[in-house]
Structures are given as structure tokens and as C-alpha cells.
Amino acid sequence: MDEHPNIKDIEKEIADEFSLFDNWDDKYEYIIDLGKKLPPLEDQYKKEENKVRGCQSTVWLVADYRDGRIFYKAESDSVIVKGLISMLVRVLSGQPPEEIINTRLEFIREIGMMTHLAQTRSNGLLAMVKQMKNYALAYKLKNEGVQK
Amino acid sequence: MIQPATIQRLDINAIRRQFPILNREVKDKPLVYFDNAATTQKPQVVIDALVNYYSEYNANIHRGIHTLAEEATAAFEATRDTVQQFINAATREQIIFTKGTTEGINLVAQTWGRQNIKAGDEIIISTMEHHSNIVPWHILCEEKGALLKVIPINERGELLLDEFQKLLSNKTRLVSIVHVSNALGTINPVKKIIDEAHSVGAIVLVDGAQSSVHIDIDVQDMDCDFFAFSSHKLYGPTGVGVLYGKQDLLEAMPVYQGGGEMIKEVYFDKIIYNDLPYKFEAGTPNIADTIAFKAALDFMSQIGKEKIRNHENELLAYATTELEQIPGLKIIGKAQEKVSLVSFIIDKLHPQDLGILLDNEAIAVRTGHHCAQPLMNCFGIPGTVRASFAVYNTKEEIDALINGLHKSIKMLS
């Protein structure tokens, strides 16, 4: 098994990166930059069943299970949401299902982006986190079923 | 044409001082509130009316014989009188208090609609309806096997009246139409629509959620059969709305919800319902907010709706001119007759990203589909950014919006 850093360590890395910014403009510029750099999702995945419906932006999310770990790919039509997605994928992709299910994603609060997870923002991020956890749960149950 | 010399200028700073929330900062910057079409802020007189009610004379209304109940009842019913004047209804009995516009429309759909709509009947709405003037009719049509017909619009966001005439027939039972579009600002020619609908024997409900704060409402002159609006879009509290209806229609309609207040005599095998308007006001109403709604209407009347409108129209003209200079910006909704709101998109940029970055500048706008998904689909866009103006907004705030947009575009490009 490869030496993939655990969720807590990646979260700390991101929080450390954000601690360099002392204003909101810089934080958003960084997130926008992450969004622009997020590799586009191949068109074949951009279909109805992969859509995570937020109120305003569209998010597509796919998950793949390999060697006891889940790998995510995602995209959005909003560049800021793409930036937030980029961080979520960085933290959660390549982790075991159990870890993904139980994480509280504390880094989002630490970097001051908690409002984007609030219901009121309706920007799809909350729905996306739920969907990522749902995939993890589904793979975990499937895996347990196979083992039985 | 209004001659500039005849426009009496409002003292906007004095008006702003009456709205405590306008003093607050967001992210260390002064708040610019341009989400007035969603809900307006509340003047101190409205806040005071709420506090006074709860501190001085909180009581349940209509049946109490003690002093507090009498005071509360008098204040509650005084709002009904003020609303009657505000929309020029013939009688106070035609003013029914609801939770808001949505409940008013649902009330008509569930009472008049269920009693009068049959299989094969037709209901006409328009492309620019808010979901709350689509969904209740969709539900009713599904239940009854009736048909929902939709008036199309042109690229400026105006109703195609020729097409409306073609949709009208002896099968048309109801036309339910928005007076002012929440997403485009278009003012619809409701009087003409009502006349034509009446000529085929259909009745008309006017959704006044957006119009009542900007336009003088005279339900008798308009000759609408129903008119619904909400307090919170007119500087009043949330949770109160009004349904106006023609007396004969309201009297013939079956009751909506059952409970206290709406009955005269109750036996286990027979119920005699109350008279208008109480017949439609089951249960303890939203007393505090209804009382404070009067303070909001008085606030508007004291300034004068025409003066408010002139100020808002100046803001609209200024914002339109300034916005159109931004490269790649396209205004959605360029009707000849518009209220003070501007909906727009910017090339290659998602409205939500603009909304987030404007919020970062303490500028509150609305982004998204504005609860009018069919309308957005018609324009082929996922949504817009909408800035909507109220009496307390200023040109300086529009400058802040323009600067905020330039900065956001730079960050996103």
C-alpha cells in the first residue's frame, strides 16, 4: 500500500497555506487559482447521474474504488466552487472509506470558508461533501458484503 | 414625462438614519444592500411597533374582553383598514391576512380553484412567473385534469400580448399573472390583461409581490379578481401577507383551513362559518407582525410612493448606464416599463462567483435563478446577478457595486 498522507495531515497543510493570507481577497484569489488549475472532468462523466445538485452552481462528481481507497474527480461551472472542490479532492481522494465517512473536515472552518458549507449558501458544496461521504459509505458496505 | 424641476428630492440620509441595519459592516466594510426584491430592510418604526406590542399589549385578539385584548384587536384591525386604503379596496372585509403572497395564491388555488376548475379547463400564466405562481396551479391542474398555458415573452422580457390573446378561449377559467417580474423587473400591463381575460369570462389573479412596493395599487381600477402581496417586501415584517378578492368570489369560495376564528357556531354534525374576512383566517394570526405592517405602510405613505418611485427610477437609470459600460456585461430584462431592479450576466463568469466576490466587498446582491427556472431556461442561462434598489439606496452605493464588479472580474479572469 502506498504512503498516502492521512486526512489530518493534508488538512493541516492547507490550513498552513491559508495562514499566510491576512485578507479575504488573497484567500479568494488563491481559491480561484486552485479552481482554474483543477483538471477538467472528461465529458463522458458530465452526465445527469453524476450531478450534485446545489441551488446555483452545478457540480459533477465521480468516485472510483481501488485497493481499499476511494479516488474522486469533480468539476463545477463555478470557478470558486471548483477551487473548494480542488481542496476537498486533495483531502479526501485516495483515503480509505472509513476515514472519509468519519472526517469532519475541520480545515474548512480553519481557513474561514465555513460559510460555504452553510445551508444558506446553497452553492452545492455541502451537497458535494454529503455525496463524497455517500460514495465512501457505499463502497464500505459493498466491501463488507464481499468479505462476508 | 416628469420634469426634473418638479421632482422634490428626498433627504436620503435622513431616510437611511431610520434603518438601523444600514449602519452595520460586513467584513469591515459598510453594507451595501441591493437584495431588496428578496426582502427590504425595516425602519425603526416597524421594529418599535413589534417591541411595543410585546412589551405593552400582547394578547390574543377578537374574543378577549380585557383591556390588552381590546388594544391588540384594535391595532390588528387598524392594519386591515390601512391595507384597504393602500390598495383602494372597496371594503375592509375583502382584506384577508395570510403568511405572504405564496399563501395567498395557494389559498385561491385550493378554494376557488378546487371548486371551479374541471377537467379540460385552462389556466393561463406567463413565462416570467415566480415558482409560487406556477406550482400551486400545476398541482391543481394535475388534480383536476386541467391545462396550464403559458404566455411567451420577447427578448426584452416583455409579454407577447398577441400570443396571450390566442391562448384565451371559452375554456380559460383563470389568468394568474405576475404584476412585476422579480427576475427581470418588467411591469406587465395587467389592466389590459384583466380586460381581455374578463371578455372571455375568466377571472384574474395578480401576483403583487414585487409591484406593491413600487407601483400605486388600485384594485378597483385594475378590476383584478384577486391580488396577493407580502409585507416584508414593503419595509414590513416577514410572515404577513394580504389576499384581496372581489366580495362575491370570496363569499362563494369554500373555506381554506379549519380552526378557531373562522367559525360562528360549531356542532359535531354542523358548522356555521364566520363572515369575511375571518372565514379565511383560521387560528391565532400573526398578530405582532400584522400590527407592525401598518407602521411600514404608514412609513411609505409619509414619504410618498411617487417620491420613492422617482428616487428608485433615478437609481435604475444610473445603474443601467453604468453597468452597460462594463465589457461583456449583458442586462437580462430590458422592458420599456421596469421597476428598480437590474438583472445581468457577464460573459464567461458564473453569477455565483460574482455574488461571492461582491459579498466579499459587503455588497449584497441576489444570484441564481430567482425562483424562476422556466424563465432562466427561456433565456438559456443558469441564472443572473440581480441588484434591486429601495428608497434608502444611493448612487454612491451603485458606484461601489460597479467598482466591486470590476474587481471581481479581474479576480475571476
Side-chain angles (χ1 to χ4, degrees):
Chain A
M1 209 164 255
D2 63 346
E3 282 301 304
H4 197 91
N6 68 34
I7 289 180
K8 281 261 175 283
D9 290 343
I10 309 172
E11 284 190 293
K12 189 172 180 310
E13 267 174 34
I14 294 176
D16 287 348
E17 286 162 23
F18 269 80
S19 69
L20 301 173
F21 305 127
D22 56 4
N23 66 63
W24 285 95
D25 285 4
D26 291 347
K27 281 185 190 178
Y28 276 114
E29 288 206 340
Y30 184 65
I31 292 169
I32 290 165
D33 198 43
L34 290 176
K36 287 178 183 165
K37 286 179 182 155
L38 185 75
L41 194 65
E42 295 86 339
D43 280 346
Q44 71 202 69
Y45 298 120
K46 285 187 178 174
K47 47 189 179 185
E48 209 54 33
E49 65 212 64
N50 292 330
K51 262 190 190 174
V52 183
R53 288 191 183 277
C55 187
Q56 297 194 20
S57 56
T58 309
V59 173
W60 294 271
L61 173 71
V62 288
D64 189 20
Y65 185 69
R66 292 196 303 270
D67 305 328
R69 292 169 187 271
I70 297 181
F71 295 86
Y72 296 103
K73 283 199 282 192
E75 202 188 323
S76 169
D77 52 355
S78 148
V79 69
I80 292 176
V81 172
K82 266 206 303 198
L84 297 166
I85 285 173
S86 162
M87 290 190 285
L88 285 173
V89 169
R90 179 172 160 197
V91 172
L92 297 180
S93 197
Q95 302 294 344
E98 191 76 35
E99 300 289 313
I100 296 167
I101 293 163
N102 293 323
T103 180
R104 299 178 56 159
L105 296 171
E106 291 294 339
F107 82 100
I108 295 175
R109 185 187 304 279
E110 275 187 51
I111 65 174
M113 289 293 148
M114 202 55 203
T115 54
H116 290 286
L117 270 187
Q119 289 284 0
T120 50
R121 282 285 171 151
S122 312
N123 60 11
L125 194 70
L126 183 68
M128 165 139 169
V129 171
K130 272 191 192 153
Q131 189 60 29
M132 288 174 114
K133 290 198 172 206
N134 281 345
Y135 272 123
L137 189 63
Y139 281 120
K140 179 175 178 269
L141 293 174
K142 197 174 159 193
N143 205 22
E144 285 170 355
V146 170
Q147 281 170 357
K148 275 176 199 165
Chain B
M1 274 300 281
I2 302 157
Q3 298 302 315
T6 64
I7 296 174
Q8 271 184 291
R9 294 218 160 256
L10 291 176
D11 183 351
I12 300 300
N13 283 329
I15 289 170
R16 288 181 71 83
R17 283 195 291 275
Q18 298 183 54
F19 289 80
I21 208 167
L22 297 178
N23 293 321
R24 81 159 276 186
E25 296 192 331
V26 173
K27 294 179 177 169
D28 302 324
K29 293 166 192 157
L31 168 71
V32 173
Y33 187 78
F34 282 160
D35 197 15
N36 294 290
T39 196
T40 52
Q41 298 302 343
K42 318 305 171 199
Q44 190 63 52
V45 285
V46 170
I47 300 165
D48 287 347
L50 285 169
V51 173
N52 284 345
Y53 166 72
Y54 283 122
S55 346
E56 303 290 337
Y57 59 101
N58 170 51
N60 210 333
I61 54 170
H62 289 144
R63 279 167 315 279
I65 53 154
H66 53 81
T67 304
L68 266 55
E70 277 176 16
E71 288 175 7
T73 304
F76 182 88
E77 291 300 331
T79 302
R80 206 185 302 273
D81 296 331
T82 305
V83 170
Q84 182 200 343
Q85 290 156 22
F86 186 76
I87 61 171
N88 193 32
T91 68
R92 66 191 310 282
E93 286 73 27
Q94 290 166 276
I95 306 300
I96 293 154
F97 288 122
T98 62
K99 282 190 295 189
T101 310
T102 300
E103 192 185 40
I105 297 171
N106 277 281
L107 191 160
V108 175
Q110 291 301 313
T111 58
W112 180 89
R114 292 180 88 171
Q115 190 177 52
N116 291 284
I117 298 293
K118 303 178 297 296
D121 285 350
E122 294 178 359
I123 294 172
I124 299 178
I125 59 172
S126 84
T127 306
M128 64 175 87
E129 300 308 322
H130 187 282
H131 294 163
S132 58
N133 197 27
I134 302 173
V135 183
W137 306 119
H138 177 84
I139 294 169
L140 181 66
C141 286
E142 289 244 294
E143 183 187 317
K144 298 289 185 177
L147 285 171
L148 200 57
K149 300 263 175 163
V150 183
I151 311 169
I153 56 172
N154 63 22
E155 69 285 354
R156 291 191 302 276
E158 295 163 327
L159 294 178
L160 296 175
L161 293 178
D162 293 353
E163 298 298 320
F164 168 59
Q165 279 159 355
K166 286 182 209 159
L167 293 176
L168 278 174
S169 75
N170 58 8
K171 288 181 184 167
T172 313
R173 291 284 162 272
L174 169 76
V175 178
S176 192
I177 191 85
V178 71
H179 196 177
V180 164
S181 158
N182 71 310
L184 306 172
T186 312
I187 303 172
N188 287 322
V190 283
K191 215 174 156 179
K192 195 165 171 4
I193 291 168
I194 291 164
D195 281 350
E196 288 176 10
H198 284 168
S199 73
V200 299
I203 67 154
V204 181
L205 183 150
V206 175
D207 169 356
Q210 294 295 333
S211 63
S212 42
V213 70
H214 300 293
I215 298 172
D216 296 319
I217 305 297
D218 183 334
V219 288
Q220 294 185 77
D221 178 60
M222 203 192 291
D223 200 25
C224 56
D225 299 280
F226 296 105
F227 187 88
F229 64 108
S230 304
S231 146
H232 74 97
K233 293 188 199 282
L234 294 95
Y235 310 100
T238 53
V240 187
V242 170
L243 174 70
Y244 157 87
K246 281 190 179 159
Q247 185 110 13
D248 54 336
L249 286 170
L250 290 175
E251 273 170 2
M253 269 153 60
V255 295
Y256 179 44
Q257 292 178 329
E261 294 267 354
M262 51 79 75
I263 43 79
K264 256 186 195 160
E265 293 172 44
V266 175
Y267 309 91
F268 285 120
D269 58 351
K270 185 178 80 173
I271 291 167
I272 299 167
Y273 297 115
N274 208 336
D275 298 325
L276 291 174
Y278 309 110
K279 170 184 164 183
F280 294 108
E281 294 180 356
T284 297
N286 185 348
I287 303 168
D289 293 307
T290 306
I291 289 172
F293 182 27
K294 181 181 189 302
L297 293 171
D298 291 343
F299 164 82
M300 285 184 73
S301 302
Q302 273 161 24
I303 300 174
K305 236 176 161 180
E306 193 184 350
K307 284 187 196 166
I308 296 174
R309 191 160 55 236
N310 289 338
H311 172 67
E312 289 172 344
N313 285 344
E314 264 185 54
L315 294 177
L316 174 67
Y318 183 67
T320 305
T321 310
E322 294 296 310
L323 285 168
E324 280 180 330
Q325 289 173 32
I326 295 179
L329 187 144
K330 186 180 170 200
I331 291 178
I332 304 294
K334 301 183 90 170
Q336 292 268 308
E337 300 291 326
K338 255 183 93 167
V339 299
S340 57
L341 74 83
V342 205
S343 228
F344 59 88
I345 51 172
I346 298 178
D347 249 2
K348 299 185 183 75
L349 301 184
H350 198 285
Q352 181 182 301
D353 290 333
L354 291 166
I356 291 171
L357 294 181
L358 288 174
D359 176 59
N360 201 38
E361 301 297 315
I363 301 166
V365 293
R366 177 60 53 128
T367 62
H369 54 57
H370 316 296
C371 296
Q373 282 178 359
L375 177 65
M376 295 296 126
N377 293 340
C378 171
F379 279 101
I381 52 177
T384 70
V385 180
R386 181 189 71 189
S388 50
F389 312 119
V391 64
Y392 41 69
N393 289 127
T394 64
K395 285 188 178 175
E396 290 72 24
E397 289 180 310
I398 291 170
D399 292 338
L401 169 69
I402 302 296
N403 292 336
L405 280 172
H406 279 299
K407 185 173 166 183
S408 307
I409 293 166
K410 205 172 150 205
M411 285 172 78
L412 291 165
S413 301

